[in-house]
């Protein structure tokens, strides 16, 4: 393993960059003067030129997040909010571009940062913003015949009740009714005004294939001498395929067994998580974050808590989390990193054909960590443990369970003793066993070395994050590059590998698990020292959050997980988010899947996808 320490970068760098932008583009770059907002607003006619200058001259080579916001009712405009970073480290340079709602159009930044590809398609799909110059602008989470743009503030779903929760039908009077009673099933589908159901001819599949540029009509394949042409073959892998990690589909163009192009198709699990989040109160969203990456719920909680806490910190009555609460948060998220990587390595081997034996070895150790999560949070996977300003509760003195069934095994352990054995003995031993059994396997090496190559410059350009980015030789880790919580005082290294293939993406997860153990060993004495400190967060059921915007991001196991939230519309502080957006690493990391697969075989596709380590709850949201 090669490790790199990234120096912490002074927070003044973004202010310096903004000053240089305003000097270089007078009149086209203005400070965002709205209360609680940051960054600059860029004239959309200069957006591409400004973005190019940021990347090439100011060194902001990494576009992390591109978020659409609809300000209907506050202003008659829409906005794209971009967060750009330097891979050398430092805080974000936040810039925005605004457009009229009636004719929402902005220039595409895909030629500056190819990682904007899927994010711009998402903004088009859910908000209807047209991105001039985007080479493949079509819906990405919804089907092509969907009526309207569901994230717009004036869009109403079939079973719409009220703008915000809690609904009057449920609280406080308690006159509960099913929303379906107001709209009979079968009458709940909306079609465009010019849509004739009797003449329906679905063209969405044709558009998917035509954009591949194959010169092949898949609806009516021509023949030569009575035989089907076989020079090009289009194969669908998924969505119902055991190796596509759930409901995910890949359209693969083959020349024989060699892949010529691949396009990911997603959205089969889409439930508009963000619309739900904007209807919920701030507190209500915490358990919903668990269900994004359901293998990493503690990390999901942490990112959302940080985003909202940034807004609370601008108010007058804010008490930040206690030191003990911060220690427990780091304990939970680093255990979560290990949980995730156990699963990722086990199922990567599954994808390579080692059916379930390596996965079961990894899952068996993962269960020991989940036992601790269950004893502390009350749940093994959907933990809902963190709160704004703290935690749901402190660690229990003992991990105790009762027998519900005849053969149930009753647990009764001292929690700190259990943690000490887990961190100092069990987890390191299991990591070493995985390393010993798998790393030198000639079968694994023959299937993974040199396969799915992602060069470092492409990884940065495509906004790759996490192990996918660091296995390509880019030592970028949010915990070091833009640190949060108590990470600045902890000793650990940013693991980095340089070959950019499946094998290095496997190795770097082992490296990261060992670094997490290193962090956890530093947390244990801190837990003993802070025993008795309070950990509870804000107690209000419906807290009011100061007006403004924030972006909270964490280094989740799969990469950078970010939440962009806006509190607007009420000077007292609204009880519901105006904007709630998830920068999902599983979604954005798929941008590089197609280029990584070109030139490989069909069997390699499954392994390359597995090495990215996606979860569809987070991909589709």
């Amino acid at each position: 393993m090669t490790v790199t320490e990234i120096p912490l970068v002074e927070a003044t760098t973004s202010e310096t960059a903004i000053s240089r932008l305003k000097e270089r583009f007078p009149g086209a770059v203005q400070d965002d003067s709205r209360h609680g907002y940051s960054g600059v607003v860029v004239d959309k006619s200069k957006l591409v030129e400004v973005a190019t200058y940021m990347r090439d001259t100011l060194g902001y080579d990494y576009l992390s997040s591109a978020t659409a916001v609809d300000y209907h009712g506050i202003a008659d405009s829409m906005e794209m909010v971009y967060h750009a970073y330097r891979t050398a480290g430092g805080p974000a340079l936040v810039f925005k571009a605004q457009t009229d709602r009636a004719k929402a159009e902005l220039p595409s930044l895909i030629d500056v940062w190819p990682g904007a590809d899927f994010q711009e398609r998402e903004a088009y799909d859910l908000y209807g913003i047209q991105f001039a110059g985007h080479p493949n602008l079509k819906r990405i989470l919804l089907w092509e015949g969907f009526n309207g743009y569901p994230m717009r503030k004036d869009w109403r779903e079939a079973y719409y009740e009220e703008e915000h929760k809690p609904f009057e039908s449920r609280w406080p009077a308690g006159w509960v009714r099913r929303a379906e009673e107001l709209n009979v099933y079968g009458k709940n589908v909306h079609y465009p005004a010019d849509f004739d159901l009797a003449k329906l001819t679905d063209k969405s599949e044709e558009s998917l294939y035509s954009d591949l540029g194959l010169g092949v009509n898949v609806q009516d394949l021509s023949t030569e001498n009575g035989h089907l042409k076989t020079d090009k073959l289009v194969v669908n892998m998924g969505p119902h395929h055991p190796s596509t990690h759930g409901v995910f589909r890949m359209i693969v163009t083959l020349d024989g067994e060699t892949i010529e192009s691949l396009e990911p198709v997603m959205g089969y699990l889409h439930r508009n998580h963000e619309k739900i989040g904007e209807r919920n109160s701030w507190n209500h969203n915490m358990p919903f974050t668990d269900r994004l990456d359901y293998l990493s719920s503690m990390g999901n909680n942490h990112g959302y808590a940080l985003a909202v806490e940034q807004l609370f910190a601008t108010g007058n009555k804010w008490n930040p989390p206690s030191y003990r609460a911060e220690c427990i948060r780091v304990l939970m998220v680093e255990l979560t990193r290990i949980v995730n990587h156990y699963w990722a390595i086990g199922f990567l081997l599954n994808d390579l054909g080692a059916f379930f034996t390596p996965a079961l070895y990894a899952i068996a150790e993962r269960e020991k960590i989940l036992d601790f999560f269950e004893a502390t949070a009350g749940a093994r996977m959907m933990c809902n443990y963190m709160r704004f300003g703290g935690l749901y509760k402190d660690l229990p003195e003992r991990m105790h369970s009762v027998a519900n069934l005849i053969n149930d095994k009753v647990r009764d352990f001292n929690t700190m003793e259990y943690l000490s054995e887990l961190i100092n003995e069990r987890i390191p031993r299991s990591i070493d066993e995985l390393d010993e059994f798998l790393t030198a396997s000639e079968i694994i090496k023959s299937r993974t070395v040199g396969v799915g190559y992602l060069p470092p410059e492409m990884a940065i350009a495509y906004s790759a994050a996490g192990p996918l980015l660091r296995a390509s030789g880019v030592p970028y880790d949010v915990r070091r590059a833009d640190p949060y919580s108590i990470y600045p005082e902890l000793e650990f290294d940013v693991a980095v590998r340089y070959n950019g293939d499946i094998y290095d993406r496997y190795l770097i997860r082992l490296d990261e698990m060992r670094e997490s153990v290193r962090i956890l060993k530093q947390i244990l004495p801190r837990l003993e020292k802070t025993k008795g400190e309070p950990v509870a967060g804000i107690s209000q059921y419906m807290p009011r959050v100061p007006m403004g915007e924030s972006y909270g991001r964490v280094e989740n196991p799969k990469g950078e997980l970010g939440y962009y939230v806006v509190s607007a519309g009420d000077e007292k502080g609204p009880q519901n988010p105006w904007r709630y957006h998830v920068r999902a690493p599983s979604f954005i990391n798929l941008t590089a899947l197609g280029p990584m697969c070109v030139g490989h075989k069909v069997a390699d596709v499954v392994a390359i996808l597995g090495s990215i380590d996606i979860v569809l709850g987070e991909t589709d949201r």
Side-chain angles (χ1 to χ4, degrees), residues 243-245 248 250 590 593 605-614:
S243 292
T244 56
H245 293 251
F248 179 68
M250 294 173 284
L590 285 170
L593 176 62
V605 172
V606 173
I608 294 169
L609 177 64
S611 74
I612 297 175
D613 182 26
I614 65 168

Side-chain angles (χ1 to χ4, degrees), residues 383-419:
C383 297
N384 184 25
Y385 181 57
M386 299 193 191
R387 297 292 183 270
F388 308 140
L391 306 165
Y392 157 55
K393 64 176 183 178
D394 205 339
L395 304 181
E397 285 286 338
R398 300 191 69 82
M399 293 173 54
H400 182 73
S401 67
V402 297
N404 295 312
L405 301 173
I406 293 175
N407 294 321
D408 277 0
K409 183 178 179 180
V410 177
R411 296 193 303 268
D412 190 11
F413 307 114
N414 178 284
T415 300
M416 291 306 298
E417 290 177 2
Y418 183 90
L419 274 178

Side-chain angles (χ1 to χ4, degrees), residues 213-371:
L214 305 177
V216 177
N217 182 352
V218 296
Q219 306 295 331
D220 182 23
L221 290 171
S222 59
T223 60
E224 285 184 358
N225 301 322
H227 298 285
L228 186 69
K229 284 186 180 178
T230 56
D231 56 334
K232 293 279 181 73
L233 183 64
V234 178
V235 174
N236 279 288
M237 297 185 68
H240 302 298
H241 191 289
S243 292
T244 56
H245 293 251
V247 281
F248 179 68
R249 172 182 170 202
M250 294 173 284
I251 300 176
V252 186
T253 310
L254 298 174
D255 184 356
E257 272 279 310
T258 303
I259 295 164
E260 290 197 341
S261 66
L262 181 147
E263 180 174 352
V265 182
M266 59 201 77
Y268 295 95
L269 199 62
H270 178 65
R271 60 211 184 276
N272 213 339
H273 173 97
E274 295 176 10
K275 190 77 168 183
I276 295 170
E278 292 173 12
R279 294 273 169 79
N280 286 339
S281 74
W282 295 97
N283 267 348
H284 290 166
N285 277 334
M286 190 62 78
F288 282 80
T289 67
D290 293 330
R291 288 146 177 82
L292 290 164
D293 177 0
Y294 35 80
L295 302 177
S296 305
S297 70
M298 290 288 193
N300 303 345
N301 288 180
H302 197 197
Y304 179 57
L306 290 179
V308 181
E309 285 169 1
Q310 287 178 27
L311 290 174
F312 274 120
T314 65
N316 298 321
K317 299 179 180 180
W318 167 242
N319 293 313
S322 68
Y323 188 77
R324 179 171 179 82
E326 293 284 15
C327 290
I328 295 175
R329 284 181 172 186
V330 172
L331 169 76
M332 294 305 192
V333 298
E334 293 304 324
L335 286 172
T336 296
R337 195 177 317 279
I338 293 170
V339 161
N340 182 92
H341 288 353
Y342 274 140
W343 195 270
I345 290 171
F347 276 88
L348 173 62
L349 270 293
N350 211 49
D351 291 336
L352 289 170
F355 184 66
F356 243 89
T357 301
L360 286 174
Y361 269 94
I363 289 170
E365 291 305 318
R366 170 181 174 267
E367 289 295 302
K368 303 297 187 296
I369 300 175
L370 298 191
D371 287 346

Side-chain angles (χ1 to χ4, degrees), residues 67-68 85 110 209 271 275 367 377 401 412 436-437 449 451 556 562 595:
T67 307
Y85 295 87
I110 194 170
Y209 297 117
R271 60 211 184 276
K275 190 77 168 183
E367 289 295 302
S401 67
D412 190 11
E436 180 183 357
F437 292 147
V449 173
V451 178
N556 238 31

Side-chain angles (χ1 to χ4, degrees), residues 450-465 467-474 497-502 505 589 591-597 600 608 612:
V451 178
Y453 176 59
L454 182 65
E457 62 277 2
M458 184 182 291
I460 294 169
Y462 278 89
S463 301
L468 182 63
L469 177 66
R470 291 188 289 276
S472 291
V474 183
R497 296 272 176 172
Y498 292 93
N499 295 317
D501 56 11
I502 297 176
R505 292 195 275 277
N589 281 350
T591 313
L593 176 62
M596 282 164 41
C597 290
H600 292 297
I608 294 169
I612 297 175

